[in-house]
Amino acid sequence: MNTAEITALKNKRKITMLTAYDYPVAELVDKAGIDIILVGDSLANVILGLDSTKQVGMAEMLHHTKAVRRAVKNSLLVADMPYESYQAHPEECVKNARRFIDEAGAEAVKLEWFENCPQVTRAIASSGIPVMGHIGLTPQTVDKIGGFKVQGKDAQAAKKLIEQAQELERCGCFSIVLECVPDKISELISGKIHIPVIGIGAGVHCDGQVLVINDMLGLFNRYMPKFVKKYADLSALASKAIEEFRDEVLREEFPDKEHSFGIKEEELNKLK
Ligand code: KIV
């Protein structure tokens, strides 16, 4: 998958996208034929146990993107730009975006809407690096948008989202993520721009759907937004396996013969 192929999928079929943060999970996602793998800054919450996505920086994002790169053969690999790399330091945005491509092997970067978003997006896109936008609920600036809640719920707020989507298309984005908005507003936005709109909590009318992998696999249970569908309960499976290991060790049932190494009796006798 490349960015042109993703853009061309609009109005043909739905686009699939999931996050991944390490080699084994990225390998599963890639092999399942998911179109886009995002190394999201949700890394902060679901992998590193931090409270805010603002708390991850370039070092962590590059480190995890490199691990994912080693597994991905077919999906398009997109890396999330952390807050510090373009919102705190807009003048550094192109240099930091380039590091994701050159050092970590990403094929595109994603950045969230903020007041200087058009300038930053235009600078990165015109340097030749594909950009995915992100509007609606933007966790990096959650304090400025009234908290973790549905966005675009009245006509004025929805109009702003439509304008942001159109602006990002003009700035050169190849697609956008639309997070946590009413489904009718997503339908309007998807119909007004020519690049794919990939929804999360944005209803069925988007051009594609994305979820955080740890949420949909049941590997992150601290909180669960309404829009997450849990496709598996891997936490429960893992807990059961860990408890079984604990009990078998305590009962001296593990390791058994099958998981141990032997030595010839004659060699052993030489030690006696
Ligand atoms: O960081 C992330 O995982 C994201 C998705 C919610 C799209 O931005």
Side-chain angles (χ1 to χ4, degrees), residues 238-257:
S239 292
K240 194 166 167 287
I242 293 163
E243 284 161 17
E244 212 171 307
F245 165 78
R246 178 200 64 201
D247 293 345
E248 287 194 0
V249 170
L250 292 175
R251 289 197 303 263
E252 297 180 31
E253 289 171 9
F254 178 84
D256 53 10
K257 276 257 177 302

Side-chain angles (χ1 to χ4, degrees), residues 171-242:
C171 289
C173 284
F174 72 94
S175 70
I176 60 169
V177 164
L178 180 60
E179 180 162 352
C180 216
V181 305
D183 56 355
K184 294 283 178 202
I185 300 305
S186 314
E187 187 174 18
L188 263 179
I189 293 175
S190 303
K192 278 187 186 289
I193 60 176
H194 305 95
I195 54 174
V197 174
I198 302 179
I200 174 161
V204 75
H205 304 297
C206 298
D207 303 303
Q209 297 293 329
V210 55
L211 282 177
V212 169
I213 190 116
N214 290 51
D215 290 342
M216 58 89 74
L217 291 181
L219 274 173
F220 182 73
N221 303 309
R222 210 160 76 191
Y223 44 82
M224 189 62 77
K226 170 182 155 77
F227 57 73
V228 173
K229 178 169 175 185
K230 212 160 144 177
Y231 284 84
D233 190 357
L234 295 196
S235 288
L237 264 181
S239 292
K240 194 166 167 287
I242 293 163

Side-chain angles (χ1 to χ4, degrees), residues 19 21 38 40-42 80 110 134 177 179 200 210 212:
T19 65
Y21 315 94
L38 170 71
D41 62 357
S42 48
D80 234 350
K110 175 169 87 55
H134 183 157
V177 164
E179 180 162 352
I200 174 161
V210 55
V212 169

Side-chain angles (χ1 to χ4, degrees), residues 45-119:
N45 313 115
V46 302
I47 300 291
L48 302 180
L50 297 165
D51 290 329
S52 163
T53 54
K54 273 173 91 167
Q55 291 170 276
V56 283
M58 284 297 290
E60 292 96 334
M61 290 304 299
L62 286 170
H63 178 75
H64 285 267
T65 305
K66 284 180 198 174
V68 169
R69 173 72 279 164
R70 290 178 201 120
V72 175
K73 305 274 181 285
N74 298 307
S75 311
L76 179 79
L77 177 54
V78 181
D80 234 350
M81 290 194 60
Y83 180 85
E84 69 167 27
S85 70
Y86 70 107
Q87 295 208 33
H89 300 288
E91 71 290 349
E92 305 264 290
C93 68
V94 177
K95 189 187 87 189
N96 285 325
R98 170 89 27 227
R99 290 189 68 193
F100 279 107
I101 311 295
D102 292 349
E103 290 176 36
E107 286 149 317
V109 294
K110 175 169 87 55
L111 38 104
E112 293 182 9
W113 184 270
F114 72 116
E115 54 189 351
N116 293 324
C117 198
Q119 294 90 309

